[in-house]
Amino acid sequence: SGTFEISAAKELTEFKFDNFAESQKPLQTFLGPTLPASGEVMSELETVAQEAIMEQMYKKLIGIHDGYITMVGEGCTCLYKTGAQKLTHGTVISVYTPKDLNDFNGVFGESAVTYESDYYITKLPTEVDLTDDAQKAEVLSDIDLFAFVADEYGNGQGTMLPVTDITAIQLATLGTRNTTITYNNGTADVTKDVTYTVVASDEDLPEEAIVRLSLNYKNKDIVSVIGIAKGTQLYEDSDFTLFYYKAEEPHQGRGIVVNAANASGANAVITISGYDPNTTGLQTVTFTYKGQSVELLVFVYDETVNPIVKVEDSGVVTITKAGDTYTADYTNAKATAYKFGDNTGTEITFTEADAINLRDLSTYEDEDEIVFKYQVQFGGHTYTFYVALEVEVVEATPAE
C-alpha cells in the first residue's frame, strides 16, 4: 500500500510505498486496483498513478543486469535504472535459450510445458559434419537465442541473436547431451554452455506436446450428461470428436473423430476407460490421447432404466375475462417430457395445483407466464422440472 498525489496537470507530484517488500523472485509482484481514499471512481488519473507505481515497483525488483530491470507489457523490454550508466547501442544485456524463455513465461502462468534441456532437436539419419561449413551453418540456423539488446536510447529491446559457433553436436542418436555455443555480445564473442535433447520426431518436440483435450458430441459442445443406449460402444457411431490442443497453439484445437479404427484394437491411439456398455446407469468415462485426458458423464439406458432428462413447454393457459370475473382454463396447459433416445416425448397436462407463482387472474396480460412444477421419481430420488407456459387472455363472448 502507499500514497500518491496528482497535480491539476495530471502529473505525479508525490509518491511513496508504506510496506513494499523486496521481491525474491523478479516479475512476481502484481499491481491490484488503485483506489483513492474517497472511494470515488478514477479514470485517466488512475492510469497516471498506475504507470508511476509500476515504475517504482520495477525499480525495486531484482534486475537481470546491474543497471537494468525487465519490463513486461505489450512486448518484452528492459529499462535502465535512474542513475545507472547507459549502455552503448547494440550491447547485449542478457540472452535466453528456448528453455530460459519457457521458464520466463512460466512466471506468468503462460507456460504449458516443461523444458528439461535448453534445446530440442529432431533426430537426423546421419551425423552432422561440423567441419563442413554448409552443414554447420544449417545446424546454427536452427539454434535460437533470444536476447535483450540496448537500442539507441539505451533501453533493452528483445531480438533474436545469431549463434556463430558450436563446439560439438550429435544429431543421429537419441538422448541429452552438453555442448557450448558462441554468440557476439556487441563487443566480443561469448560462450555459453547449454544442453540439447535429440528426439525421434517433430511430434516429440516440446512445442508439439498436447496440453489439453476437449470433446464434442454430434458436432455440439457437451454441456450435460450424454445418453447412450445399452450395448453401444462409444466409438460405434462416430458421434464423438476429440479435440487436442498443442503447447504452441493452446487455443487452436485439432479434431479427431473417435471411431473403431483409432479407439479399439491393437492399433488404438485413443483409450476409453471407465465405460461398460452393458451396465445401465450413470458412468464417468475417460478419454485419453497422448498423455492427456478428458472426462465425460454418460448415462447408459435401456427400455426399463431411462430417466426423463428434458421437459419442454407445448401449450398455454387461457384466462377468460367476463365482466369483472376471470377464470383460468388449464386444458391446454401442457408440456412434453423426453427420455434419452426419445425424439417423440410424452405429453404432460398441468393443473392449477402444479402452478408455483399463480397470482390474481385479473393482473395477467397476454404473454405473461405461469411456472409449473413437474416431479419424477428415479433411482430413489425425486427430480424436479420447472416449465413456464404463456398466458393467453380472451374476452368472453356476450350471450345474445
Side-chain angles (χ1 to χ4, degrees):
S1 64
T3 59
F4 56 87
E5 294 181 3
I6 300 177
S7 69
K10 299 178 182 176
E11 295 179 350
L12 195 75
T13 58
E14 182 178 332
F15 177 87
K16 72 174 182 177
F17 281 116
D18 294 330
N19 60 347
F20 187 88
E22 291 289 336
S23 173
Q24 297 303 309
K25 292 184 178 181
L27 309 174
Q28 288 192 337
T29 301
F30 300 92
L31 181 64
T34 304
L35 300 174
S38 63
E40 64 192 56
V41 177
M42 297 181 69
S43 54
E44 70 273 7
L45 295 185
E46 182 174 13
T47 301
V48 174
Q50 287 208 11
E51 289 178 351
I53 292 171
M54 292 296 285
E55 179 183 355
Q56 294 296 324
M57 287 172 63
Y58 275 113
K59 283 182 179 180
K60 288 180 177 290
L61 292 178
I62 300 171
I64 60 173
H65 183 274
D66 289 343
Y68 281 72
I69 49 179
T70 302
M71 303 288 288
V72 179
E74 293 182 358
C76 290
T77 142
C78 295
L79 301 176
Y80 62 90
K81 298 176 183 177
T82 303
Q85 182 178 358
K86 182 176 177 180
L87 294 185
T88 305
H89 183 200
T91 300
V92 174
I93 303 168
S94 61
V95 294
Y96 298 83
T97 65
K99 180 183 185 303
D100 295 331
L101 282 179
N102 187 73
D103 294 345
F104 182 87
N105 290 331
V107 174
F108 300 95
E110 297 176 358
S111 176
V113 296
T114 299
Y115 275 67
E116 299 294 342
S117 296
D118 291 296
Y119 295 96
Y120 287 80
I121 305 172
T122 303
K123 179 184 176 182
L124 297 179
T126 59
E127 292 293 356
V128 173
D129 182 3
L130 292 181
T131 63
D132 184 300
D133 292 341
Q135 293 187 45
K136 184 176 183 178
E138 187 173 353
V139 170
L140 294 178
S141 67
D142 290 333
I143 300 178
D144 296 330
L145 196 62
F146 180 83
F148 282 120
V149 179
D151 62 15
E152 57 185 310
Y153 304 105
N155 296 327
Q157 294 296 327
T159 185
M160 299 308 296
L161 194 67
V163 174
T164 59
D165 199 6
I166 187 169
T167 56
I169 196 165
Q170 298 179 39
L171 299 181
T173 306
L174 301 179
T176 300
R177 301 174 187 86
N178 301 318
T179 190
T180 303
I181 60 175
T182 302
Y183 65 92
N184 190 282
N185 69 356
T187 57
D189 287 339
V190 179
T191 59
K192 180 178 178 64
D193 293 331
V194 297
T195 59
Y196 67 95
T197 296
V198 179
V199 296
S201 68
D202 289 346
E203 291 187 353
D204 299 316
L205 297 172
E207 61 269 22
E208 293 293 320
I210 294 174
V211 294
R212 70 181 179 95
L213 304 176
S214 67
L215 278 169
N216 75 13
Y217 179 67
K218 294 185 177 179
N219 299 318
K220 294 182 179 179
D221 291 338
I222 298 174
V223 295
S224 61
V225 179
I226 300 298
I228 303 295
K230 184 178 179 180
T232 303
Q233 294 290 349
L234 295 182
Y235 53 74
E236 194 169 302
D237 298 319
S238 300
D239 287 333
F240 290 94
T241 301
L242 184 70
F243 288 89
Y244 61 92
Y245 302 80
K246 293 186 176 183
E248 63 177 352
E249 296 176 326
H251 305 295
Q252 181 66 45
R254 296 172 171 83
I256 303 174
V257 176
V258 181
N259 54 38
N262 56 37
S264 66
N267 297 322
V269 294
I270 298 172
T271 302
I272 301 175
S273 57
Y275 177 66
D276 182 353
N278 297 313
T279 300
T280 56
L282 190 65
Q283 301 181 23
T284 300
V285 182
T286 303
F287 288 70
T288 302
Y289 177 67
K290 293 193 174 180
Q292 296 295 322
S293 298
V294 60
E295 288 188 344
L296 169 72
L297 284 176
V298 302
F299 192 98
V300 179
Y301 65 90
D302 60 15
E303 293 181 359
T304 59
V305 181
N306 193 355
I308 291 175
V309 294
K310 180 174 64 174
V311 178
E312 294 183 345
D313 63 283
S314 56
V316 297
V317 177
T318 303
I319 296 178
T320 302
K321 176 183 178 183
D324 293 332
T325 303
Y326 294 82
T327 57
D329 182 1
Y330 296 93
T331 303
N332 293 315
K334 299 177 180 180
T336 304
Y338 297 89
K339 296 182 177 182
F340 285 124
D342 178 12
N343 296 322
T344 303
T346 302
E347 187 176 86
I348 302 166
T349 300
F350 296 111
T351 67
E352 182 177 326
D354 299 319
I356 65 171
N357 65 337
L358 194 63
R359 61 178 190 262
D360 187 334
L361 296 181
S362 65
T363 64
Y364 282 97
E365 298 180 355
D366 279 341
E367 298 184 358
D368 283 352
E369 292 182 336
I370 298 176
V371 178
F372 296 86
K373 180 170 67 174
Y374 177 65
Q375 291 185 317
V376 294
Q377 300 291 325
F378 184 82
H381 299 279
T382 300
Y383 297 91
T384 303
F385 296 85
Y386 295 94
V387 181
L389 299 183
E390 284 192 358
V391 170
E392 180 183 49
V393 180
V394 298
E395 295 276 352
T397 303
E400 294 183 356

